[in-house]
Amino acid sequence: MLFAALVLPREPLQWTQLVSAIHLWLQNAGAVAALGLGIWLLAQFLQKRQPFTDALTDVPRPFAGMLANVLTGLACLSLVGFLLIVGLGIVASFNPLRLGRFLPTAGREANLTVGDYILSASGLLALGVALTPMFFGLLRLRWRRIWALARLSLKEAIRNRVVIVFGLVLLVFLFAGWFLPSKAEDQVRTYVWAVYFSIWILFLMLAGLLGSLSIPNDIKSQSIHTIVTKPVEKFEIVLGRFLGYGLLLTIGLVAVSLLSLVYVARGISDQAREESYKARVPIFGQLQFWGTRDPLKGESVGREFDLRGYISGIRVGDKETPRQYAIWTFESLPAELASRESPIRFEFTFDIFRLSKGEEGKPIPCTFLFADGSLDLRQIQDKLAEIQEKRDKRPRADDPDEDRKLSDAFEGKVIEDYGLYELRGEQVTDYHTQSQEVPAALLKKLAAGQKDPNVPPMRVWVSVDPAPEVQMLGAARRDFYLLAADRSFEVNFLKGVVGMWCSQMLVLGIAVACSTYLSGIISWLCTMFLFGAGLFTDYLQQLAENRIQGGGPLQSAWRVMTSRQMAAPLDESPGAAVMVTADRVFTWILGRLLNLIPDVNRFDLHMYVANGFDVSLVNVLLIDNLIPLVGYLLPWAILAYYLMKYREIANPT
Amino acid sequence: MAGKEVIVETRKLTKIYRDFWGRQKKVALRALNLQVYRGEIFGLLGPNGSGKTTTIKLLLGLLFPTDGDALVFGQPSGEVKKNERIGYLPEESYLYRFLNAEETLDFYGRLFKLDASVRRERAAKLIERVGLAADKKRVLKEYSKGMRQRIGLAQALINEPELVILDEPTSGLDPLGTRWMKDLIVDLRDRGKTIIMCSHRLEDVQDICDRVAILAEGELQKLGSVKSLLEDVQRLELRAKGVQVNDELKRDLEAVLAKHGGELEFIGHPTTTLEELFLRIIAESKAHPGRRYMPELETPKAMTTPTGGVDAHVKR
């Protein structure tokens, strides 16, 4: 088996995180809405106009006045909520009465604070106020007109030969083979990466350009005059454009993806096909360590990429040094597995860090202990000793086949009585995907034995066996998993494309929304800037939270100019204090702006497909891709609605 | 005009163009008061930048008034629903050039609540009416300016509108196209439609408009029926036939006019308009194919022609 490991930059969103994600969304989208409302209300006040009367033209007359007053009140209430939190933040910075604990956590903490609730409620109010006039406007939208405009966009793109761009992907298919390495262990990975990357970049540019240029071109060429002078709501033009181009991109993406799938399937070797041309459905446990200095991170071997924590083996005969363990805790076991009769397969890919010279590629022996999750190490060791004692005394037969039957019966009884299964001396090879099979009876026993839902049903304890030379074993959370099923690579490849589709729709949505107000090229630049920034959200997050060594931009610039070490503290001087303060202001602003930047990395699913892991329909596609996509595009849609509604279509003549 | 149904009304309609910072750039229209009645052809006249197109764009909701009101069918101009009863032909026919005539009309028809069969039927009739039946499968980018104007008019009529707004409908058309357009506008009026058109081709407006508003610098200068505006009560026009202009006739007429306190300004034969002349010639050329006009050539003095010169005449 070759190397296939799932390395994700961050955990996908989970159902359990959805509530705090909704809070965060309400706070961010609501803050943008509240800011817009605040400016607009101020403008209305200065012009001595009754707010919302112009915006509620779609509302029946008798209710419009009353509704306008209600909306004005709610908007003010929302603004008060936001101002309250801002005030609380300022006061809390001086730390009286430990007010900081009431401040919003912005989704960083599992428990929501009072500030979170106030901010979410204020955001909800602001969004509600912004959505109410829009809601009445949306009632006038007609699918017939939207579809007509979508068809127009589709025809326009096809007749202007935009589809030729899709043909550029063929170049990748024709010539990628020249550049891609042919090593079997990398073949699927590199093929998938090359195909995904080329499709991704091509379609992304196309989505950005189509979305950015369409409405501004219509306005510039005045073609839009013949549309808006028909009974067409302006937002129908936005939706029609989005839908038309979205459809074109979707059809193109499906076609190109199918072609590229054929390219990947034809191009890879049999060895690579055997190893990675699949979609494993893994069940991951939570990783922790025992006997190491840091129970969460394990030992460090000084690697720059600190994905894996390490456990050390012990020398043969060393009774002093305690054994170290990497422990995977499985919080639940699917009922389907518990009822399975065939052995259950576990797969793993570990890093061997050699402390002494050895033979290249030689495996090291390890022990895998599958145990009831309620047992601690002492209890497990006691039980193992007891089992060993019984094992030594078990009845034996002279005939090897007969003896094997007796042994199997004994081991089955051990599983039944103790809920333990031990695999000793398993040869683990560096960076190779290996597997073990565990009797189905074990999982049945463990699943049935789980009485308390807070106690995990199973833990797997992995340790390096004593050997003449000490070696270390590196493991990350996803390096060991229960293989629930093997699914089709082809379907998984297309599921990975859905992530790509999400990023295209995101770009298209932003571009179309921007183009309702900005010129074509400026819309495109804004879209690409947002998307580009979205690629670096992790870094920007660190910057916004002052987690970057060397401080903010001013401090860093100062260090570069004065050739100071990044870790060295700055001199205490008025200049340094000014720099630190300016950096704090910068990071604060960045922190707020960060909420507007889409996290586009979540849509990159190529690592699942390339490494042969199933893209979960619910956990990855729905919760981590589609819901955030809708959540991000919704505020843009609101913005586009108002920008389009209140813009003059004609230019001064 | 009491008792006539008002289709379009502007009340102190004002449009001021401002820059990004809200600073005033230009007053495009100042306090315009107008009423357009059902079944008339109303012309907006004025030089470039006088506010004609701005008025039309305000009526269509393409621009928002800075002040005042623009009402169409009694509804504010921003109201989308009114557009169901309006047809609009922009100055340039800004249609989608990748569509052909049939697709163009089908697309615009889809924007109204028209069944597919009705759309097809109307599109076929309109294509026939605007004379593009032979070119209905060609994409618009292959069309000439006149053809685009014709299909533009067809799209404006796809919903059988009550009010047709035409921005420079004859702009860029040849005299034949201009005549066709004018006949069609009059025909629309005769079918009960109300037409608002703006133009700076005065002869077009004079020919077909019932009432005109003359704008200059964004302000209304004159408003009324064409006849009443053009009538010069200070002068008298007399037409006669069967007599040749000569000195005696002139003297006699001067004497008669002097007796009534008037003065003869001009006496001569009437001339037709260039447009009339052009149309007549074209009609004759169609009636007599192959006939051509040979201009009289001036023979250089140093040269002699074998026939001793060329006559200026019409040859068959």
Side-chain angles (χ1 to χ4, degrees):
Chain A
M1 278 290 193
L2 303 164
F3 176 52
L6 188 59
V7 179
L8 300 176
R10 59 159 187 79
E11 292 293 317
L13 202 62
Q14 305 288 315
W15 274 124
T16 49
Q17 295 168 298
L18 215 54
V19 173
S20 58
I22 290 170
H23 272 276
L24 192 60
W25 182 81
L26 282 174
Q27 292 171 13
N28 291 337
V32 176
L35 187 69
L37 274 173
I39 295 169
W40 183 74
L41 280 175
L42 187 68
Q44 298 287 302
F45 174 74
L46 291 175
Q47 291 173 10
K48 295 177 181 169
R49 285 188 185 173
Q50 164 94 27
F52 293 104
T53 43
D54 292 344
L56 294 171
T57 48
D58 298 323
V59 180
R61 280 283 161 115
F63 305 109
M66 189 178 69
L67 191 58
N69 291 334
V70 171
L71 290 179
T72 309
L74 292 178
C76 292
L77 197 62
S78 161
L79 289 172
V80 167
F82 278 102
L83 290 174
L84 186 70
I85 293 298
V86 172
L88 190 68
I90 293 169
V91 177
S93 64
F94 300 107
N95 207 22
L97 306 169
R98 292 175 55 236
L99 282 175
R101 66 203 150 116
F102 298 120
L103 284 175
T105 59
R108 284 188 298 273
E109 308 291 334
N111 295 326
L112 297 169
T113 62
V114 176
D116 274 315
Y117 287 108
I118 293 174
L119 213 53
S120 299
S122 305
L124 186 64
L125 278 180
L127 283 170
V129 170
L131 277 168
T132 304
M134 186 178 166
F135 169 77
F136 288 102
L138 291 182
L139 291 179
R140 297 169 63 151
L141 301 188
R142 291 292 174 270
W143 169 249
R144 169 173 47 84
R145 296 191 292 253
I146 296 170
W147 178 237
L149 290 159
R151 274 169 50 110
L152 180 79
S153 308
L154 209 57
K155 270 188 188 164
E156 184 177 24
I158 292 168
R159 300 223 173 141
N160 289 340
R161 298 185 178 85
V162 167
V163 283
I164 287 175
V165 177
F166 299 150
L168 291 176
V169 180
L170 291 176
L171 290 177
V172 178
F173 302 154
L174 288 174
F175 300 109
W178 295 3
F179 308 102
L180 297 178
S182 56
K183 276 165 65 182
E185 61 264 40
D186 289 327
Q187 217 175 19
V188 172
R189 218 182 343 270
T190 45
Y191 270 54
V192 168
W193 179 85
V195 163
Y196 266 48
F197 181 75
S198 47
I199 299 175
W200 179 76
I201 199 84
L202 191 75
F203 276 73
L204 216 60
M205 299 299 278
L206 194 60
L209 286 172
L210 285 175
S212 302
L213 300 178
S214 61
I215 292 176
N217 274 353
D218 272 5
I219 291 172
K220 193 175 171 189
S221 69
Q222 302 189 25
S223 308
I224 202 167
H225 291 192
T226 53
I227 294 178
V228 292
T229 50
K230 304 284 183 286
V232 173
E233 297 290 330
K234 288 178 189 167
F235 193 54
E236 287 174 339
I237 298 172
V238 178
L239 291 179
R241 286 295 185 189
F242 180 78
L243 184 70
Y245 292 138
L247 209 57
L248 177 79
L249 289 167
T250 306
I251 294 168
L253 188 63
V254 169
V256 171
S257 301
L258 288 173
L259 268 176
S260 52
L261 181 59
V262 173
Y263 170 75
V264 172
R266 277 186 66 242
I268 57 166
S269 66
D270 291 341
Q271 198 184 2
R273 184 182 301 275
E274 177 69 23
E275 196 276 328
S276 298
Y277 200 76
K278 56 177 76 169
R280 303 173 181 89
V281 182
I283 296 175
F284 296 109
Q286 292 299 328
L287 174 63
Q288 63 191 80
F289 296 90
W290 196 93
T292 59
R293 269 168 285 197
D294 186 336
L296 293 177
K297 292 184 176 173
E299 302 292 356
S300 169
V301 293
R303 287 204 199 279
E304 197 176 349
F305 184 42
D306 60 352
L307 170 75
R308 292 183 168 82
Y310 289 78
I311 53 171
S312 175
I314 50 174
R315 211 174 291 280
V316 176
D318 184 354
K319 304 284 182 192
E320 301 290 316
T321 314
R323 201 160 175 161
Q324 294 184 337
Y325 292 89
I327 309 159
W328 278 269
T329 304
F330 291 85
E331 304 290 347
S332 63
L333 293 172
E336 182 268 325
L337 285 177
S339 61
R340 203 186 278 183
E341 294 299 326
S342 55
I344 310 294
R345 187 167 175 166
F346 284 81
E347 288 190 347
F348 53 89
T349 308
F350 293 139
D351 172 24
I352 310 297
F353 188 79
R354 298 184 181 280
L355 296 177
S356 53
K357 265 189 180 177
E359 194 181 321
E360 178 70 24
K362 189 183 172 189
I364 63 166
C366 293
T367 294
F368 292 76
L369 182 62
F370 300 81
D372 189 329
S374 62
L375 301 177
D376 61 22
L377 188 59
R378 171 62 62 82
Q379 289 170 312
I380 290 172
Q381 283 170 341
D382 289 348
K383 282 177 188 274
L384 282 174
E386 202 177 313
I387 292 166
Q388 191 56 45
E389 201 175 312
K390 285 185 179 176
R391 190 178 280 129
D392 293 341
K393 290 178 186 170
R394 77 167 171 84
R396 293 176 194 279
D398 293 334
D399 179 33
D401 289 341
E402 194 63 29
D403 191 56
R404 181 177 294 278
K405 280 183 189 171
L406 289 171
S407 169
D408 288 348
F410 174 80
E411 297 301 337
K413 187 84 171 57
V414 166
I415 288 172
E416 189 57 39
D417 293 345
Y418 296 91
L420 275 175
Y421 184 72
E422 189 180 31
L423 286 165
R424 283 188 188 168
E426 286 292 310
Q427 298 297 318
V428 176
T429 310
D430 187 29
Y431 280 134
H432 271 58
T433 303
Q434 298 173 265
S435 65
Q436 294 157 344
E437 291 194 336
V438 171
L442 176 74
L443 269 77
K444 204 175 284 181
K445 159 84 179 165
L446 295 178
Q450 189 185 17
K451 300 283 187 289
D452 184 353
N454 295 321
V455 177
M458 182 172 75
R459 281 203 175 97
V460 182
W461 303 67
V462 178
S463 60
V464 181
D465 287 349
E469 290 168 334
V470 175
Q471 311 289 15
M472 294 183 83
L473 181 108
R477 183 170 105 76
R478 289 197 172 79
D479 283 353
F480 184 91
Y481 50 88
L482 191 161
L483 186 67
D486 266 339
R487 289 194 179 144
S488 149
F489 174 86
E490 288 85 356
V491 174
N492 203 41
F493 185 91
L494 296 176
K495 284 201 275 187
V497 171
V498 175
M500 220 184 310
W501 178 84
C502 287
S503 60
Q504 284 168 28
M505 292 304 111
L506 181 94
V507 167
L508 182 65
I510 298 173
V512 172
C514 287
S515 72
T516 55
Y517 186 73
L518 302 171
S519 69
I521 191 69
I522 301 296
S523 301
W524 186 79
L525 285 173
C526 283
T527 307
M528 287 300 130
F529 172 78
L530 274 174
F531 191 85
L535 292 171
F536 302 100
T537 41
D538 287 341
Y539 175 76
L540 293 174
Q541 185 82 43
Q542 288 178 26
L543 200 60
E545 291 171 5
N546 276 321
R547 287 191 280 129
I548 300 284
Q549 205 172 33
L554 276 180
Q555 289 178 70
S556 300
W558 179 248
R559 285 174 198 280
V560 170
M561 283 189 288
T562 56
S563 306
R564 278 171 187 265
Q565 292 285 333
M566 294 299 272
L570 290 179
D571 299 334
E572 284 190 14
S573 65
V578 168
M579 277 191 292
V580 170
T581 309
D583 277 350
R584 271 191 195 153
V585 172
F586 170 78
T587 51
W588 186 87
I589 293 170
L590 186 66
R592 307 289 79 73
L593 291 178
L594 202 57
N595 296 327
L596 304 178
I597 297 171
D599 177 11
V600 293
N601 289 317
R602 68 168 72 239
F603 302 122
D604 178 15
L605 305 179
H606 93 274
M607 71 290 271
Y608 287 93
V609 182
N611 289 295
F613 286 91
D614 183 56
V615 177
S616 164
L617 271 177
V618 175
N619 290 334
V620 178
L621 288 187
L622 178 65
I623 303 176
D624 199 47
N625 276 218
L626 291 172
I627 291 178
L629 173 71
V630 173
Y632 190 77
L633 285 186
L634 199 58
W636 282 100
I638 298 171
L639 185 70
Y641 174 84
Y642 284 109
L643 287 177
M644 200 65 181
K645 186 176 170 78
Y646 291 110
R647 82 161 287 167
E648 289 185 324
I649 293 295
N651 296 317
T653 50
Chain B
M1 289 288 184
K4 284 201 170 182
E5 186 187 351
V6 176
I7 298 292
V8 172
E9 184 174 11
T10 65
R11 297 175 193 152
K12 293 184 179 175
L13 186 63
T14 303
K15 179 65 188 176
I16 299 171
Y17 291 123
R18 298 181 190 277
D19 65 9
F20 180 80
W21 306 105
R23 291 175 301 194
Q24 184 172 314
K25 269 168 64 181
K26 183 178 185 334
V27 179
L29 201 62
R30 195 190 297 275
L32 178 69
N33 289 313
L34 278 182
Q35 283 188 329
V36 179
Y37 305 108
R38 181 178 287 280
E40 70 173 343
I41 302 176
F42 188 89
L44 284 167
L45 267 179
N48 289 339
S50 59
K52 308 182 298 286
T53 302
T54 299
T55 306
I56 281 184
K57 286 176 177 172
L58 285 164
L59 291 175
L60 289 165
L62 294 170
L63 293 172
F64 302 144
T66 309
D67 198 10
D69 298 305
L71 303 171
V72 181
F73 299 115
Q75 298 175 36
S77 59
E79 176 60 52
V80 172
K81 206 165 167 52
K82 72 170 195 320
N83 292 346
E84 286 173 5
R85 300 159 73 186
I86 294 179
Y88 170 56
L89 172 70
E91 180 179 354
E92 291 278 330
S93 187
Y94 299 113
L95 304 175
Y96 291 98
R97 294 180 168 217
F98 52 87
L99 299 176
N100 64 34
E102 276 184 336
E103 289 169 334
T104 299
L105 296 190
D106 184 68
F107 165 65
Y108 288 106
R110 280 171 186 272
L111 302 179
F112 295 94
K113 203 175 178 180
L114 298 179
D115 288 339
S117 57
V118 177
R119 278 202 311 270
R120 271 196 298 275
E121 191 189 329
R122 280 195 195 171
K125 275 185 186 169
L126 282 167
I127 287 172
E128 193 68 43
R129 191 172 177 192
V130 298
L132 290 172
D135 302 293
K136 63 183 180 185
K137 296 288 182 193
R138 286 169 64 194
V139 288
L140 267 51
K141 66 180 165 198
E142 294 173 5
Y143 276 19
S144 67
K145 171 81 197 286
M147 291 163 89
R148 286 205 296 272
Q149 200 75 342
R150 284 163 188 259
I151 193 65
L153 187 67
Q155 68 79 28
L157 300 177
I158 190 74
N159 56 324
E160 294 189 346
E162 293 171 46
L163 170 65
V164 184
I165 298 178
L166 309 168
D167 192 355
E168 305 280 1
T170 55
S171 148
L173 294 182
D174 62 19
L176 278 179
T178 304
R179 166 57 67 182
W180 171 84
M181 181 67 84
K182 287 197 287 193
D183 288 347
L184 199 136
I185 293 169
V186 171
D187 182 50
L188 287 173
R189 191 259 320 270
D190 294 345
R191 290 173 186 227
K193 317 269 185 217
T194 307
I195 290 117
I196 298 176
M197 59 177 278
C198 76
S199 178
H200 45 237
R201 288 173 66 162
L202 306 181
E203 69 278 14
D204 294 348
V205 175
Q206 184 182 346
D207 279 356
I208 59 174
C209 286
D210 298 314
R211 289 197 307 138
V212 291
I214 300 173
L215 298 169
E217 297 290 320
E219 290 181 334
L220 182 63
Q221 304 295 328
K222 278 277 184 199
L223 172 67
S225 71
V226 175
K227 189 169 175 294
S228 68
L229 289 177
L230 294 182
E231 199 172 49
D232 186 354
V233 293
Q234 301 297 317
R235 286 183 168 78
L236 179 74
E237 189 178 277
L238 185 145
R239 289 189 190 179
K241 63 179 179 182
V243 287
Q244 288 291 321
V245 178
N246 54 43
D247 289 345
E248 189 184 353
L249 177 66
K250 195 176 173 186
R251 275 195 302 275
D252 290 349
L253 282 174
E254 278 175 341
V256 171
L257 291 170
K259 186 181 169 189
H260 291 276
E263 182 188 344
L264 182 67
E265 281 183 353
F266 169 77
I267 181 169
H269 294 293
T271 56
T272 184
T273 62
L274 188 57
E275 185 191 359
E276 286 295 333
L277 175 69
F278 178 85
L279 290 171
R280 199 176 67 228
I281 290 170
I282 296 298
E284 282 175 5
S285 88
K286 280 184 181 168
H288 307 286
R291 195 171 73 168
R292 63 197 167 103
Y293 172 70
M294 300 289 285
E296 189 175 354
L297 296 176
E298 273 187 30
T299 310
K301 283 181 181 166
M303 291 174 68
T304 54
T305 57
T307 55
V310 178
D311 291 336
H313 56 236
V314 175
K315 283 189 173 180
R316 291 186 68 82

